[in-house]
C-alpha cells in the first residue's frame, strides 16, 4: 500500500537544475516507524518514513543517506520525493524497509543530505517504539501503542488512496462510507502515536459486498 500519501501536496513547478549558489540546509528531520499488518495472523512488515524540512530550493534535492550506527544499517535514497505546503519544503521517503528478517532499529540515526550542486548537510533523528510491536498481531497493536489517534484510509480498486484522516461521524456502516466515496473499494484503520512517531496500519477490509 502506498502509505502516507496524506502528507503529499502538489509540488510547485520549478526547474530542478536551475543554477543556484545556495548551500544545502536541512532545518529538521522527523521519522515514523511504520508497522503494516496485511492480515490478522502474522506480524507486520516494517519500514521507516522520513521527512526532512529543507530551507531553500527543495526541488534541487539530489539524494540522502540514512544510517544507524549501532546496527550498521544504511539506506541510500536517490531522487527522493519532494513537496511544499504551509510555506515549508520537504524531501522524503516513506519506504526505508527493514532488512529481511530484521526489525527497524531503535535509537539514533544520522542523515547526509545532498543537493544537485553537490552541497551537503547533516542532521540526526531518533526512533523509539515498543519492540513488542515487531512480533505483534493486529489485534494487539492499539494496546501496545497506548495513546493513539485513529484514522481511516480509503482506496479504490487499484490501490490508489482516496481519503486519509478522521472518519466522519456518519460513517457507521460501509454503505455510509460508499455514499461519500463511491469509488472506494477497501478501507484500512490507521493508528498513529502522538507526534507521528509510530504508525500502525491495520489489514484491509472490503467495503463492497461480494456476490
Amino acid at each position: 500500500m502506498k502509505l502516507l500519501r496524506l502528507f503529499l501536496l502538489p509540488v510547485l513547478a520549478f526547474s530542478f537544475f536551475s543554477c543556484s549558489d545556495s548551500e544545502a540546509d536541512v532545518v529538521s528531520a522527523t521519522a515514523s516507524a511504520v508497522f503494516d499488518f496485511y492480515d490478522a495472523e502474522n506480524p507486520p512488515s516494517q519500514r521507516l518514513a522520513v521527512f526532512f524540512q529543507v530551507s531553500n530550493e527543495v526541488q534541487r534535492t539530489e539524494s540522502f543517506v540514512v544510517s544507524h550506527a549501532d546496527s550498521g544499517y544504511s539506506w541510500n535514497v536517490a531522487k527522493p520525493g519532494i513537496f511544499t505546503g504551509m510555506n515549508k519544503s520537504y524531501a522524503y521517503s516513506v519506504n526505508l524497509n527493514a532488512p529481511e528478517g530484521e526489525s527497524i532499529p531503535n535509537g539514533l540515526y544520522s542523515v547526509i543530505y545532498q543537493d544537485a550542486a553537490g552541497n551537503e548537510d547533516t542532521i540526526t533523528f531518533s526512533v523509539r517504539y515498543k519492540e513488542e510491536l515487531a512480533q505483534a498481531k493486529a489485534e494487539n497493536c492499539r494496546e501496545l501503542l497506548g495513546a493513539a489517534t485513529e484514522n481511516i484510509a480509503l482506496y479504490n480498486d487499484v490501490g490508489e488512496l482516496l481519503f486519509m484522516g478522521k472518519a466522519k461521524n456518519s460513517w457507521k456502516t460501509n454503505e455510509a462510507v460508499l455514499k461519500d466515496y463511491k469509488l472506494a473499494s477497501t478501507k484500512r484503520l490507521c493508528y498513529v502515536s502522538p507526534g507521528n512517531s509510530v504508525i500502525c496500519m491495520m489489514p484491509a477490509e472490503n467495503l463492497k459486498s461480494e456476490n
Side-chain angles (χ1 to χ4, degrees), residues 58-103:
V58 69
Q59 290 82 4
R60 292 176 57 78
T61 297
E62 180 72 15
S63 65
F64 58 75
V65 178
V66 177
S67 302
H68 183 262
D70 290 345
S71 67
Y73 296 157
S74 183
W75 296 264
N76 189 348
V77 181
K79 306 298 182 185
I82 55 175
F83 72 88
T84 59
M86 302 296 290
N87 297 318
K88 295 180 180 180
S89 299
Y90 297 88
Y92 71 91
S93 175
V94 299
N95 290 306
L96 303 186
N97 295 311
E100 186 174 356
E102 301 293 334
S103 296

Short mmCIF file of all heavy atoms in Angstrom, two decimals, residues 58-103:
data_model
loop_
_atom_site.label_atom_id
_atom_site.label_comp_id
_atom_site.label_asym_id
_atom_site.label_seq_id
_atom_site.Cartn_x
_atom_site.Cartn_y
_atom_site.Cartn_z
N VAL A 58 14.04 23.05 -2.41
CA VAL A 58 13.92 21.61 -2.19
C VAL A 58 13.90 20.85 -3.51
O VAL A 58 14.27 19.68 -3.57
CB VAL A 58 12.65 21.30 -1.36
CG1 VAL A 58 11.39 21.58 -2.16
CG2 VAL A 58 12.66 19.87 -0.84
N GLN A 59 13.50 21.52 -4.61
CA GLN A 59 13.45 20.86 -5.91
C GLN A 59 14.83 20.44 -6.40
O GLN A 59 14.95 19.64 -7.32
CB GLN A 59 12.78 21.78 -6.95
CG GLN A 59 11.29 21.98 -6.73
CD GLN A 59 10.98 23.04 -5.69
OE1 GLN A 59 11.89 23.69 -5.15
NE2 GLN A 59 9.71 23.23 -5.40
N ARG A 60 15.88 21.01 -5.78
CA ARG A 60 17.25 20.64 -6.14
C ARG A 60 17.77 19.47 -5.33
O ARG A 60 18.94 19.10 -5.44
CB ARG A 60 18.17 21.86 -5.98
CG ARG A 60 17.90 22.98 -6.98
CD ARG A 60 18.78 24.19 -6.72
NE ARG A 60 20.19 23.87 -6.72
CZ ARG A 60 20.93 23.68 -7.82
NH1 ARG A 60 20.36 23.78 -9.02
NH2 ARG A 60 22.21 23.40 -7.75
N THR A 61 16.91 18.86 -4.52
CA THR A 61 17.34 17.70 -3.75
C THR A 61 17.83 16.59 -4.68
O THR A 61 17.15 16.22 -5.63
CB THR A 61 16.17 17.16 -2.90
OG1 THR A 61 15.78 18.16 -1.96
CG2 THR A 61 16.58 15.91 -2.14
N GLU A 62 19.01 16.07 -4.39
CA GLU A 62 19.59 15.01 -5.21
C GLU A 62 19.44 13.64 -4.53
O GLU A 62 19.00 12.67 -5.15
CB GLU A 62 21.07 15.29 -5.46
CG GLU A 62 21.79 14.25 -6.29
CD GLU A 62 21.38 14.27 -7.75
OE1 GLU A 62 20.76 15.27 -8.17
OE2 GLU A 62 21.66 13.29 -8.46
N SER A 63 19.80 13.55 -3.26
CA SER A 63 19.77 12.26 -2.57
C SER A 63 19.97 12.48 -1.08
O SER A 63 20.32 13.58 -0.64
CB SER A 63 20.90 11.35 -3.10
OG SER A 63 22.18 11.90 -2.78
N PHE A 64 19.73 11.44 -0.32
CA PHE A 64 20.16 11.43 1.08
C PHE A 64 20.45 10.01 1.52
O PHE A 64 19.95 9.04 0.94
CB PHE A 64 19.17 12.13 2.02
CG PHE A 64 17.77 11.58 2.02
CD1 PHE A 64 17.46 10.38 2.66
CD2 PHE A 64 16.73 12.28 1.41
CE1 PHE A 64 16.17 9.90 2.68
CE2 PHE A 64 15.43 11.81 1.43
CZ PHE A 64 15.15 10.61 2.07
N VAL A 65 21.32 9.91 2.51
CA VAL A 65 21.71 8.61 3.07
C VAL A 65 21.34 8.62 4.55
O VAL A 65 21.72 9.53 5.29
CB VAL A 65 23.22 8.36 2.92
CG1 VAL A 65 23.60 7.02 3.56
CG2 VAL A 65 23.63 8.38 1.45
N VAL A 66 20.56 7.61 4.96
CA VAL A 66 20.15 7.45 6.35
C VAL A 66 20.91 6.26 6.93
O VAL A 66 20.90 5.18 6.35
CB VAL A 66 18.63 7.21 6.45
CG1 VAL A 66 18.23 6.97 7.90
CG2 VAL A 66 17.86 8.39 5.87
N SER A 67 21.57 6.47 8.07
CA SER A 67 22.39 5.41 8.68
C SER A 67 22.08 5.25 10.15
O SER A 67 21.79 6.23 10.85
CB SER A 67 23.88 5.73 8.51
OG SER A 67 24.22 5.88 7.13
N HIS A 68 22.16 4.00 10.61
CA HIS A 68 22.01 3.69 12.03
C HIS A 68 23.32 3.06 12.48
O HIS A 68 23.64 1.92 12.12
CB HIS A 68 20.83 2.72 12.24
CG HIS A 68 20.57 2.39 13.67
ND1 HIS A 68 21.03 1.23 14.26
CD2 HIS A 68 19.90 3.08 14.63
CE1 HIS A 68 20.64 1.20 15.52
NE2 HIS A 68 19.96 2.31 15.78
N ALA A 69 24.10 3.82 13.25
CA ALA A 69 25.47 3.42 13.56
C ALA A 69 25.54 2.11 14.33
O ALA A 69 26.39 1.26 14.06
CB ALA A 69 26.17 4.53 14.33
N ASP A 70 24.67 1.93 15.32
CA ASP A 70 24.78 0.75 16.18
C ASP A 70 24.57 -0.56 15.42
O ASP A 70 25.21 -1.57 15.72
CB ASP A 70 23.76 0.84 17.33
CG ASP A 70 24.13 1.93 18.33
OD1 ASP A 70 25.28 2.40 18.30
OD2 ASP A 70 23.26 2.30 19.14
N SER A 71 23.67 -0.56 14.45
CA SER A 71 23.39 -1.78 13.68
C SER A 71 24.19 -1.88 12.40
O SER A 71 24.36 -2.97 11.83
CB SER A 71 21.90 -1.86 13.34
OG SER A 71 21.56 -0.83 12.42
N GLY A 72 24.65 -0.73 11.90
CA GLY A 72 25.34 -0.71 10.63
C GLY A 72 24.41 -0.63 9.43
O GLY A 72 24.85 -0.60 8.28
N TYR A 73 23.10 -0.55 9.66
CA TYR A 73 22.14 -0.45 8.57
C TYR A 73 22.23 0.93 7.92
O TYR A 73 22.42 1.94 8.60
CB TYR A 73 20.71 -0.67 9.05
CG TYR A 73 20.43 -2.04 9.60
CD1 TYR A 73 19.38 -2.25 10.49
CD2 TYR A 73 21.20 -3.14 9.23
CE1 TYR A 73 19.12 -3.51 11.00
CE2 TYR A 73 20.94 -4.39 9.74
CZ TYR A 73 19.90 -4.57 10.62
OH TYR A 73 19.64 -5.82 11.13
N SER A 74 22.05 0.95 6.59
CA SER A 74 22.12 2.21 5.87
C SER A 74 21.20 2.15 4.66
O SER A 74 21.08 1.11 4.01
CB SER A 74 23.56 2.48 5.42
OG SER A 74 23.67 3.73 4.78
N TRP A 75 20.54 3.27 4.36
CA TRP A 75 19.65 3.39 3.21
C TRP A 75 20.10 4.57 2.36
O TRP A 75 20.20 5.69 2.86
CB TRP A 75 18.20 3.62 3.64
CG TRP A 75 17.57 2.50 4.40
CD1 TRP A 75 16.77 1.51 3.91
CD2 TRP A 75 17.64 2.28 5.81
NE1 TRP A 75 16.34 0.68 4.92
CE2 TRP A 75 16.85 1.13 6.11
CE3 TRP A 75 18.29 2.93 6.87
CZ2 TRP A 75 16.71 0.63 7.39
CZ3 TRP A 75 18.16 2.44 8.16
CH2 TRP A 75 17.37 1.29 8.40
N ASN A 76 20.34 4.33 1.08
CA ASN A 76 20.73 5.38 0.15
C ASN A 76 19.53 5.69 -0.74
O ASN A 76 19.10 4.84 -1.53
CB ASN A 76 21.92 4.93 -0.70
CG ASN A 76 22.50 6.06 -1.53
OD1 ASN A 76 21.91 7.13 -1.64
ND2 ASN A 76 23.66 5.83 -2.11
N VAL A 77 18.96 6.87 -0.60
CA VAL A 77 17.76 7.26 -1.33
C VAL A 77 18.14 8.23 -2.43
O VAL A 77 18.46 9.39 -2.18
CB VAL A 77 16.71 7.90 -0.39
CG1 VAL A 77 15.46 8.27 -1.17
CG2 VAL A 77 16.37 6.94 0.75
N ALA A 78 18.12 7.75 -3.67
CA ALA A 78 18.38 8.61 -4.83
C ALA A 78 17.06 9.21 -5.32
O ALA A 78 16.05 8.52 -5.38
CB ALA A 78 19.04 7.81 -5.94
N LYS A 79 17.08 10.47 -5.67
CA LYS A 79 15.89 11.16 -6.15
C LYS A 79 14.70 10.98 -5.22
O LYS A 79 13.66 10.42 -5.60
CB LYS A 79 15.53 10.68 -7.57
CG LYS A 79 16.65 10.79 -8.58
CD LYS A 79 17.08 12.24 -8.79
CE LYS A 79 18.17 12.32 -9.85
NZ LYS A 79 18.72 13.68 -10.02
N PRO A 80 14.79 11.39 -3.97
CA PRO A 80 13.67 11.24 -3.05
C PRO A 80 12.48 12.10 -3.45
O PRO A 80 12.59 13.00 -4.28
CB PRO A 80 14.25 11.71 -1.70
CG PRO A 80 15.37 12.62 -2.08
CD PRO A 80 15.94 12.07 -3.35
N GLY A 81 11.33 11.80 -2.86
CA GLY A 81 10.16 12.63 -3.11
C GLY A 81 10.34 14.01 -2.50
O GLY A 81 11.09 14.20 -1.54
N ILE A 82 9.65 14.98 -3.08
CA ILE A 82 9.68 16.35 -2.56
C ILE A 82 8.28 16.92 -2.60
O ILE A 82 7.46 16.56 -3.45
CB ILE A 82 10.64 17.27 -3.34
CG1 ILE A 82 10.29 17.27 -4.84
CG2 ILE A 82 12.09 16.85 -3.15
CD1 ILE A 82 11.12 18.23 -5.68
N PHE A 83 7.97 17.81 -1.67
CA PHE A 83 6.72 18.56 -1.74
C PHE A 83 6.83 19.83 -0.93
O PHE A 83 7.72 19.99 -0.09
CB PHE A 83 5.52 17.72 -1.27
CG PHE A 83 5.47 17.45 0.21
CD1 PHE A 83 4.86 18.34 1.08
CD2 PHE A 83 6.00 16.29 0.73
CE1 PHE A 83 4.78 18.09 2.44
CE2 PHE A 83 5.94 16.02 2.09
CZ PHE A 83 5.33 16.91 2.95
N THR A 84 5.94 20.75 -1.23
CA THR A 84 5.85 22.00 -0.48
C THR A 84 4.44 22.18 0.03
O THR A 84 3.47 21.77 -0.62
CB THR A 84 6.24 23.21 -1.35
OG1 THR A 84 5.35 23.28 -2.47
CG2 THR A 84 7.67 23.11 -1.82
N GLY A 85 4.30 22.79 1.19
CA GLY A 85 2.99 23.06 1.76
C GLY A 85 3.15 23.87 3.03
O GLY A 85 4.13 23.72 3.76
N MET A 86 2.16 24.71 3.32
CA MET A 86 2.19 25.55 4.52
C MET A 86 3.48 26.35 4.59
O MET A 86 4.08 26.53 5.64
CB MET A 86 2.03 24.68 5.77
CG MET A 86 0.75 23.87 5.81
SD MET A 86 -0.74 24.87 5.88
CE MET A 86 -0.60 25.53 7.55
N ASN A 87 3.95 26.82 3.40
CA ASN A 87 5.18 27.62 3.30
C ASN A 87 6.41 26.88 3.79
O ASN A 87 7.39 27.50 4.21
CB ASN A 87 5.02 28.93 4.08
CG ASN A 87 3.93 29.82 3.51
OD1 ASN A 87 3.80 29.95 2.30
ND2 ASN A 87 3.13 30.41 4.40
N LYS A 88 6.38 25.56 3.71
CA LYS A 88 7.54 24.75 4.07
C LYS A 88 7.83 23.77 2.95
O LYS A 88 6.93 23.40 2.20
CB LYS A 88 7.30 24.00 5.39
CG LYS A 88 7.14 24.93 6.60
CD LYS A 88 6.91 24.14 7.86
CE LYS A 88 6.75 25.06 9.07
NZ LYS A 88 6.52 24.30 10.33
N SER A 89 9.09 23.34 2.85
CA SER A 89 9.51 22.42 1.80
C SER A 89 10.14 21.18 2.42
O SER A 89 10.90 21.28 3.38
CB SER A 89 10.52 23.11 0.87
OG SER A 89 9.94 24.25 0.26
N TYR A 90 9.83 20.03 1.83
CA TYR A 90 10.29 18.77 2.40
C TYR A 90 10.84 17.85 1.32
O TYR A 90 10.34 17.81 0.19
CB TYR A 90 9.14 18.03 3.10
CG TYR A 90 8.57 18.77 4.29
CD1 TYR A 90 7.54 19.69 4.12
CD2 TYR A 90 9.05 18.53 5.58
CE1 TYR A 90 7.00 20.36 5.21
CE2 TYR A 90 8.52 19.21 6.66
CZ TYR A 90 7.49 20.12 6.47
OH TYR A 90 6.97 20.78 7.55
N ALA A 91 11.86 17.08 1.70
CA ALA A 91 12.29 15.91 0.95
C ALA A 91 11.93 14.69 1.80
O ALA A 91 11.96 14.77 3.04
CB ALA A 91 13.79 15.95 0.68
N TYR A 92 11.58 13.58 1.15
CA TYR A 92 11.08 12.47 1.96
C TYR A 92 11.27 11.13 1.28
O TYR A 92 11.46 11.03 0.06
CB TYR A 92 9.59 12.66 2.27
CG TYR A 92 8.71 12.46 1.07
CD1 TYR A 92 8.17 11.21 0.76
CD2 TYR A 92 8.42 13.53 0.21
CE1 TYR A 92 7.38 11.03 -0.37
CE2 TYR A 92 7.63 13.36 -0.90
CZ TYR A 92 7.12 12.11 -1.20
OH TYR A 92 6.34 11.93 -2.31
N SER A 93 11.18 10.08 2.07
CA SER A 93 10.99 8.72 1.60
C SER A 93 10.14 8.00 2.64
O SER A 93 10.40 8.12 3.84
CB SER A 93 12.31 7.97 1.41
OG SER A 93 12.06 6.61 1.06
N VAL A 94 9.14 7.27 2.19
CA VAL A 94 8.27 6.54 3.12
C VAL A 94 8.51 5.04 3.04
O VAL A 94 7.76 4.25 3.61
CB VAL A 94 6.78 6.85 2.86
CG1 VAL A 94 6.51 8.32 3.06
CG2 VAL A 94 6.36 6.40 1.47
N ASN A 95 9.57 4.62 2.35
CA ASN A 95 9.80 3.19 2.13
C ASN A 95 11.23 2.77 2.44
O ASN A 95 11.89 2.13 1.63
CB ASN A 95 9.45 2.82 0.68
CG ASN A 95 7.96 2.89 0.43
OD1 ASN A 95 7.17 2.28 1.14
ND2 ASN A 95 7.57 3.65 -0.60
N LEU A 96 11.72 3.13 3.62
CA LEU A 96 13.01 2.62 4.07
C LEU A 96 12.73 1.30 4.80
O LEU A 96 12.43 1.26 5.99
CB LEU A 96 13.70 3.62 4.99
CG LEU A 96 13.94 5.02 4.41
CD1 LEU A 96 14.75 5.87 5.37
CD2 LEU A 96 14.62 4.95 3.05
N ASN A 97 12.79 0.20 4.04
CA ASN A 97 12.35 -1.08 4.55
C ASN A 97 13.37 -1.70 5.50
O ASN A 97 14.58 -1.56 5.31
CB ASN A 97 12.09 -2.05 3.39
CG ASN A 97 10.95 -1.60 2.51
OD1 ASN A 97 9.88 -1.26 3.00
ND2 ASN A 97 11.17 -1.57 1.20
N ALA A 98 12.86 -2.42 6.48
CA ALA A 98 13.73 -3.17 7.38
C ALA A 98 14.43 -4.27 6.60
O ALA A 98 13.84 -4.85 5.68
CB ALA A 98 12.91 -3.77 8.52
N PRO A 99 15.68 -4.58 6.92
CA PRO A 99 16.35 -5.71 6.27
C PRO A 99 15.54 -7.00 6.48
O PRO A 99 14.86 -7.15 7.50
CB PRO A 99 17.71 -5.77 6.99
CG PRO A 99 17.92 -4.39 7.51
CD PRO A 99 16.56 -3.88 7.88
N GLU A 100 15.59 -7.89 5.52
CA GLU A 100 14.78 -9.11 5.58
C GLU A 100 15.06 -9.88 6.87
O GLU A 100 16.21 -10.17 7.21
CB GLU A 100 15.08 -10.01 4.38
CG GLU A 100 14.18 -11.22 4.30
CD GLU A 100 14.38 -12.02 3.03
OE1 GLU A 100 15.19 -11.57 2.17
OE2 GLU A 100 13.75 -13.08 2.88
N GLY A 101 14.00 -10.20 7.59
CA GLY A 101 14.12 -10.96 8.83
C GLY A 101 14.54 -10.13 10.03
O GLY A 101 14.71 -10.67 11.12
N GLU A 102 14.70 -8.82 9.84
CA GLU A 102 15.15 -7.94 10.92
C GLU A 102 14.09 -6.89 11.21
O GLU A 102 13.12 -6.73 10.47
CB GLU A 102 16.47 -7.26 10.54
CG GLU A 102 17.60 -8.21 10.25
CD GLU A 102 18.06 -8.98 11.48
OE1 GLU A 102 17.86 -8.47 12.60
OE2 GLU A 102 18.60 -10.08 11.32
N SER A 103 14.29 -6.16 12.31
CA SER A 103 13.40 -5.08 12.69
C SER A 103 14.07 -3.73 12.45
O SER A 103 15.30 -3.64 12.42
CB SER A 103 13.01 -5.20 14.17
OG SER A 103 12.28 -6.37 14.42
#
